[in-house]
Amino acid sequence: MQIGVHTPPLADEQLESALPYLDDLGVDAIEPGVGGHPGQDHLVRSEYLDDETAQAELGDLLEECDMEISALATHNNPLHPDDERAAEADTELREAIRLAAQLEVDAVTCFSGLPAGGPNDEVPNWITAPWPPEHADALEYQWEQAVDYWGEIADDAADHGVDVAIEMHPNMLIYEPHGLARLREETGERIGANFDPSHLYWQGITITDAIRYLGERDAIHHVHAKDTKIYDAQAREKGVLDTTAYDDEPNRSWLFRSVGYGHGEAHWKDIVSALRLVGYDGTLSIEHEDSLTSSREGLEKAIELLDRAVLETQPGEAYWAD
């Protein structure tokens, strides 16, 4: 198991300087954006796709810093009812899959996307209850759209030997583990989770149980290390479906926090142990979106905590059981 960093917080500097900085902190892997909401500040997709020279130069830079790429990130909405927006997101995702294969990267991280509630709607519709009945009908329509699309993507990913790791996220069709498992069952084993606990916390989901649930289905392709703190005083008044602006911190029911500032070190050791129990020994990719601290301080404190939590070696024989 190794520590990685999702690199958008370091967008103000070039990869050539960001990598030595992360290497000095003990980071082993990066997850750069190649499109969508993460942008592509550190890895412009068009500059590397099908360009063996550029890819070789990138490989040399990574080797020099003893670094690897854990995944390529392109978080967008390929199921958007606006055809142009959907097509752009689809192109980003398919090209990211191709580029990952060319760079010998195992996974692409993304969102499931969210369709409209029907063929004549213009806005994506996040449905969280089956009543009134038209909402259940809309959800059925959305699943039809999603299964058709992600079935094609699963085939494309399989052809390239790349896993598609979907982050469970609100305002997307897939926002919790049962939905993720259903999409995988209906489309193929290349579809799995980019297991990010941050949005699961505020939904009341127990993280270690969710890891075991998805791990039993071999459905965890990549993991984000990102914390969330629920502020009970606000949550008791208005619940956790909070539309308060992220920068209005005192009035929110919950905030994204740096690793260790929402849940303590013992909890993160439990997460690491649960991941080991289900056979995941890949990267814990730190995603910094904590508005109460700077990117570098948040990253450095997260790295420091995770360095004590990760299990780097494989277990030996249980000699004490003989």
Side-chain angles (χ1 to χ4, degrees), residues 4-232:
V5 167
H6 185 34
T7 63
L10 302 176
D12 59 344
E13 62 180 286
Q14 298 295 312
L15 193 62
E16 289 79 1
S17 59
L19 286 181
Y21 163 71
L22 294 173
D23 184 34
D24 287 343
L25 294 173
V27 172
D28 301 302
I30 58 169
E31 178 195 355
V34 294
H37 292 288
Q40 46 184 339
D41 294 286
H42 292 130
L43 200 63
V44 179
R45 199 174 63 254
S46 62
E47 294 181 3
Y48 290 91
L49 188 63
D50 301 322
D51 189 327
E52 293 183 0
T53 300
Q55 293 172 16
E57 292 173 353
L58 175 62
D60 290 341
L61 177 61
L62 291 166
E63 184 176 2
E64 181 181 338
C65 295
D66 195 23
M67 196 80 60
E68 64 180 71
I69 298 176
S70 64
L72 300 180
T74 174
H75 297 74
N76 211 332
N77 185 0
L79 302 179
H80 201 288
D82 183 295
D83 290 340
E84 289 187 8
R85 295 179 67 172
E88 180 181 13
D90 176 67
T91 297
E92 291 169 346
L93 178 58
R94 292 180 188 271
E95 289 187 354
I97 290 170
R98 284 178 52 210
L99 180 57
Q102 293 173 8
L103 294 174
E104 298 182 345
V105 173
D106 294 335
V108 169
T109 56
C110 59
F111 292 144
S112 67
L114 182 68
N120 298 318
D121 293 351
E122 297 181 355
V123 178
N125 190 339
W126 187 39
I127 297 167
T128 59
W131 189 90
E134 59 265 29
H135 293 274
D137 294 339
L139 187 60
E140 182 178 354
Y141 166 80
Q142 291 180 326
W143 269 97
E144 290 171 356
Q145 303 301 304
V147 169
D148 286 347
Y149 178 77
W150 288 104
E152 291 183 9
I153 293 296
D155 291 340
D156 192 20
D159 289 342
H160 290 89
V162 173
D163 288 330
V164 176
I166 292 174
E167 180 179 339
M168 296 169 281
H169 196 285
N171 288 314
M172 296 290 160
L173 182 65
I174 305 304
Y175 58 92
E176 48 76 33
H178 283 246
L180 192 286
R182 175 183 172 183
L183 186 65
R184 177 179 171 84
E185 289 169 3
E186 297 195 30
T187 58
E189 64 182 13
R190 286 293 175 177
I191 303 299
N194 175 31
F195 191 96
D196 184 330
S198 64
H199 289 289
L200 306 185
Y201 287 124
W202 63 260
Q203 294 181 67
I205 295 170
T206 300
I207 302 306
T208 50
D209 289 349
I211 289 171
R212 285 185 177 242
Y213 175 81
L214 291 174
E216 288 169 357
R217 292 158 175 78
D218 296 323
I220 299 177
H221 292 330
H222 192 258
V223 174
H224 271 178
K226 182 180 171 187
D227 216 334
T228 293
K229 176 69 174 178
I230 297 174
Y231 294 94
D232 293 333

